[in-house]
Amino acid sequence: MSEVHIYPVDSAIANSAHINDDQYREMYQQSTINPQGFWRQHGQIIDWITPYTKVKNTSFDSGHVSIKWFEDGELNVSANCIDRHLADRGDQAAIIWEGDDPNDDATLTYNDLYQQVCQFANALKSQGVRKGDVVCLYMPMVAEAAVAMLACTRIGAVHTIVFGGFSPEALAGRIIDSNAKVVITADEGVRGGRAVPLKQNVDDALANPLVTSIEKVVVFKRTGGNVEWHSERDVWWHQITAVASNHCVPEPMNAEDPLFILYTSGSTGKPKGVLHTTGGYLVYATMTFKYVFDYQPGEVYWCTADVGWITGHSYLVYGPLANGATTVLFEGVPNYPSTSRMSEVVDKHQVNILYTAPTAIRALMAKGDDAIKGTKRSSLRIMGSVGEPINPEAWEWYHRTIGNSRCPIVDTWWQTETGGILISPLPGATALKPGSATRPFFGVQPALVDNVGNILADATDGNLVITDSWPGQMRTLWGDHERFEQTYFSTFPGMYFSGDGARRDEDGYYWITGRVDDVLNISGHRMGTAEIESALVAFDKIAEAAIVGVPHAIKGQAIYAYITLNDGEYPSAELHKQVKDWVRKEIGSIATPDFLHWTDSLPKTRSGKIMRRILRKIATGDTSSLGDTSTLADPSVVDKLIAEKQQLL
Ligand code: PRX
């Protein structure tokens, strides 16, 4: 390990921040010694319609995993994100929308947001949406995406957002699993100067005969592009809202009522519907946003994530708005129309806090100073990173170039399942080490375990588990509690297993080393190897497929596919293209393999299990230490694969 450069806490920031180091240590200790008392107090960070008397009722015991927080309290998420700010900051910007085209922008104050959310909530009711119904959002990055989320929460509907980059097939799968009643979409999205045919994709998804639950499709007009219209089913956003009242009483929801479902990839099977509930999630998103970004009233905050991912839920919409923040919602991509776009947006809107992903940072870093050309970025105060491990070189570049060597970086580790940030520096409290997510947030008890679940002490490497519940934790997998227990609580009984590996150093800092299961992280997007493999084998010429991840300078990981064809089929340039197009159609562009390695046999054990460990090493060219190959049914396969790999280069 090369020498670690330590950045001490800036004393000016420590003095003005919500939390300094002494306070962190004291509050962290309280939060773990007395979680009931700690969260009884901090649950008050949001407004409750009916105050809770119970705080924590959780069990990680095998066969009885049950997670309940604030279970007798009632609240409404949209009232917390909007209504409670109207008296003090009704005219403050809630959402600044920045279009894909640098000349397009718009500002919604909290008063505007109130009106729009109430109107759209009433419009949803007019389309038959009731408390407990599931509403699927397949939206571009327009302010209306946040309006739609908040409108669902206002009436107690459960949203499930599907990233606009997913294909019609992937959308259909999520609609079927969630049993959604309504889809909200747009005619087209716009990203990087290109139109995305969202409504067309919805039409294609709904043409799948297995999709039977959808009654209405609400279409927001973004571009005015041509769309097919099914008048018995499709309604225009602007038409149903024009006739809707702009007052809507927020529905009192129990703390444990479902808030949203968000699908994410696992190491096996189909994407999993992660369920978050209302009270604990909002408390946790609100509190982590306030402390991790040290948000101060009046500041402008920009998170570059799409609403289709958990970061877009917790730190683009719910966390910021619950804190009365101004949140920037950006339709485009960080390098369009030019490499300096991200920096230009920072200057244009005087962004104080910027939260983005290592893959974006590395893509800009590759262009050197072009990423900051003509910009000052002097408004920036705090910067964040999320989605994958950030390599120290990218961290240093982000700090020096984008942040003018002035801004602390919060490297935030968390997951769709965790609802909010679990391990991260706090700007006024934590000395930084580039590449380390540092220390746990209040109430989070991480531990490292060996492969049989023994808790490891001191500075060491291990599997990262969390030993007790926190309020933002997912509650179950939609419709499959058994799979929930199996996935997260059976590997190491009594503990939540993250699927990540980590190292803890002598200061107790955590360094996330990446997934230890068969999940890939491509540009910060999670992809299951099994999911891509099953898409591949569904192609009629493919007999078998195995996917592994290989390091990639910008994307973090790239997708490497080993493919065996059916007898009588042979690789060709045309087939190469067809296979890639097929995966794009089945899942979406983010799942398209970067490398196709045609072969006629894969390394298998005598019982027929594919030895991925060997495939990973061959794909990365690390063939000097293949480990034990004696259990292979046919060890000669390995040499053949190595030879084929060489031809591939
Ligand atoms: O491997 C970890 C990585 O992203 C995974 C979670 O992916 P997802 O559920 O899509 O959520 C991403 C946004 C929260 C984790 O299991 N990951 C996320 N943040 C970091 C990270 N790896 C290292 N450092 C991080 N800061």
Side-chain angles (χ1 to χ4, degrees):
M1 182 88 212
S2 56
E3 202 177 315
V4 177
H5 186 176
I6 300 180
Y7 291 78
V9 179
D10 181 288
S11 58
I13 296 180
N15 289 335
S16 64
H18 291 299
I19 302 280
N20 64 29
D21 194 32
D22 290 343
Q23 288 164 322
Y24 167 77
R25 288 170 195 271
E26 196 194 317
M27 277 173 75
Y28 182 74
Q29 201 180 27
Q30 280 174 15
S31 76
T32 54
I33 294 174
N34 179 11
Q36 297 281 358
F38 182 87
W39 290 109
R40 183 177 297 281
Q41 181 193 345
H42 289 283
Q44 304 293 334
I45 194 165
I46 60 169
D47 289 354
W48 295 83
I49 297 169
T50 307
Y52 49 85
T53 64
K54 300 181 179 157
V55 178
K56 178 177 188 283
N57 177 7
T58 65
S59 164
F60 284 4
D61 292 346
S62 297
H64 310 279
V65 177
S66 164
I67 298 156
K68 292 187 181 137
W69 285 88
F70 312 110
E71 64 190 287
D72 57 351
E74 285 186 315
L75 72 159
N76 181 279
V77 168
S78 78
N80 272 285
C81 290
I82 307 170
D83 306 37
R84 68 167 175 161
H85 309 307
L86 295 179
D88 289 344
R89 46 172 74 98
D91 291 328
Q92 179 200 299
I95 298 177
I96 297 176
W97 176 75
E98 169 74 10
D100 187 56
D101 179 329
N103 299 311
D104 277 350
D105 57 35
T107 297
L108 259 73
T109 64
Y110 274 96
N111 283 328
D112 298 334
L113 190 62
Y114 174 82
Q115 305 246 337
Q116 292 202 15
V117 167
C118 285
Q119 265 189 322
F120 192 63
N122 286 323
L124 283 177
K125 282 190 188 170
S126 77
Q127 300 307 305
V129 178
R130 299 285 172 265
K131 180 174 177 172
D133 285 345
V134 177
V135 172
C136 173
L137 272 65
Y138 186 64
M139 293 284 278
M141 287 287 284
V142 288
E144 286 72 11
V147 169
M149 292 164 76
L150 290 161
C152 286
T153 72
R154 196 150 189 100
I155 63 175
V158 181
H159 61 67
T160 183
I161 309 188
V162 178
F163 172 56
F166 279 120
S167 69
E169 259 82 352
L171 174 62
R174 285 153 172 81
I175 292 173
I176 293 165
D177 191 81
S178 66
N179 208 28
K181 191 169 176 183
V182 166
V183 180
I184 304 172
T185 189
D187 48 0
E188 296 175 309
V190 189
R191 272 187 102 220
R194 293 217 307 261
V196 186
L198 295 174
K199 169 65 163 63
Q200 175 66 53
N201 289 352
V202 171
D203 291 344
D204 292 350
L206 301 195
N208 181 326
L210 298 175
V211 178
T212 54
S213 58
I214 297 297
E215 294 172 11
K216 292 284 173 193
V217 175
V218 180
V219 187
F220 174 71
K221 191 179 272 190
R222 167 65 186 92
T223 64
N226 270 340
V227 287
E228 269 182 36
W229 205 252
H230 301 260
S231 53
E232 73 298 347
R233 188 196 72 189
D234 300 346
V235 291
W236 283 111
W237 173 298
H238 59 270
Q239 285 180 352
I240 59 169
T241 48
V243 294
S245 151
N246 55 11
H247 288 286
C248 174
V249 177
E251 185 74 31
M253 302 298 289
N254 180 271
E256 285 301 336
D257 279 338
L259 177 61
F260 64 82
I261 306 163
L262 184 57
Y263 286 85
T264 190
S265 296
S267 51
T268 56
K270 288 187 308 184
K272 304 173 289 195
V274 167
L275 179 73
H276 283 289
T277 57
T278 307
Y281 171 82
L282 193 66
V283 166
Y284 198 73
T286 307
M287 189 163 165
T288 46
F289 176 79
K290 174 176 174 180
Y291 292 124
V292 171
F293 299 104
D294 190 43
Y295 185 79
Q296 303 288 344
E299 287 193 313
V300 177
Y301 162 89
W302 179 22
C303 164
T304 65
D306 191 281
V307 287
W309 310 114
I310 189 69
T311 310
H313 288 61
S314 303
Y315 300 113
L316 177 65
V317 178
Y318 293 123
L321 295 179
N323 278 281
T326 297
T327 184
V328 176
L329 193 150
F330 177 41
E331 188 178 40
V333 293
N335 56 359
Y336 174 86
S338 73
T339 311
S340 51
R341 180 70 189 277
M342 196 160 89
S343 301
E344 283 160 17
V345 174
V346 168
D347 280 4
K348 175 175 174 186
H349 297 297
Q350 290 292 293
V351 172
N352 306 109
I353 304 166
L354 171 66
Y355 191 32
T356 191
T359 185
I361 297 167
R362 288 191 299 261
L364 296 179
M365 180 172 79
K367 306 280 179 190
D369 283 354
D370 277 1
I372 54 166
K373 206 163 158 186
T375 65
K376 290 203 173 73
R377 295 150 282 97
S378 50
S379 55
L380 284 177
R381 192 172 74 81
I382 310 276
M383 303 195 303
S385 171
V386 62
E388 53 176 314
I390 180 163
N391 45 312
E393 192 195 357
W395 193 107
E396 296 280 2
W397 181 87
Y398 188 33
H399 185 257
R400 186 176 63 243
T401 309
I402 300 287
N404 292 322
S405 303
R406 285 188 304 104
C407 309
I409 294 179
V410 289
D411 175 3
T412 61
W413 176 80
W414 59 295
Q415 310 177 296
T416 306
E417 293 87 340
T418 70
I421 294 163
L422 294 197
I423 303 183
S424 170
L426 303 184
T430 317
L432 306 172
K433 300 184 189 179
S436 171
T438 78
R439 306 186 292 194
F441 191 73
F442 306 126
V444 175
Q445 302 191 43
L448 299 178
V449 297
D450 66 15
N451 286 341
V452 289
N454 296 312
I455 293 197
L456 305 168
D458 305 325
T460 185
D461 273 307
N463 300 296
L464 180 58
V465 298
I466 313 291
T467 60
D468 199 0
S469 184
W470 63 97
Q473 181 171 26
M474 73 185 287
R475 300 304 195 249
T476 190
L477 286 171
W478 187 246
D480 201 348
H481 196 70
E482 208 181 304
R483 188 176 176 202
F484 168 65
E485 293 209 1
Q486 182 64 31
T487 308
Y488 304 104
F489 299 93
S490 71
T491 319
F492 306 115
M495 303 173 208
Y496 168 80
F497 178 38
S498 65
D500 280 320
R503 182 169 71 81
R504 189 174 45 224
D505 70 16
E506 49 298 337
D507 294 324
Y509 277 31
Y510 286 86
W511 300 71
I512 311 299
T513 47
R515 303 287 307 195
V516 294
D517 55 9
D518 289 324
V519 171
L520 307 182
N521 194 325
I522 318 295
S523 302
H525 299 148
R526 232 166 111 166
M527 265 297 137
T529 49
E531 220 178 308
I532 309 173
E533 286 162 6
S534 79
L536 284 170
V537 295
F539 188 79
D540 59 3
K541 295 179 179 160
I542 294 180
E544 208 169 23
I547 295 288
V548 296
V550 291
H552 185 279
I554 288 173
K555 299 201 281 188
Q557 274 187 312
I559 303 174
Y560 190 107
Y562 292 91
I563 297 176
T564 44
L565 293 170
N566 290 330
D567 284 350
E569 300 290 349
Y570 298 96
S572 65
E574 196 192 337
L575 189 60
H576 194 274
K577 180 171 180 308
Q578 281 173 357
V579 167
K580 286 193 172 191
D581 287 349
W582 173 261
V583 178
R584 206 169 287 133
K585 179 179 96 53
E586 289 287 295
I587 307 177
S589 306
I590 53 173
T592 317
D594 298 271
F595 305 101
L596 302 184
H597 180 146
W598 312 102
T599 184
D600 29 285
S601 39
L602 294 170
K604 291 186 188 162
T605 59
R606 285 187 199 95
S607 58
K609 203 171 170 293
I610 295 178
M611 290 189 75
R612 290 169 183 285
R613 178 176 58 80
I614 292 179
L615 290 177
R616 243 176 255 130
K617 293 212 158 183
I618 294 173
T620 50
D622 174 20
T623 48
S624 56
S625 57
L626 283 179
D628 183 13
T629 53
S630 63
T631 54
L632 283 174
D634 175 8
S636 73
V637 167
V638 171
D639 291 335
K640 194 160 171 289
L641 285 167
I642 293 173
E644 286 165 355
K645 165 83 197 324
Q646 264 144 14
Q647 278 166 22
L648 211 71
L649 295 174

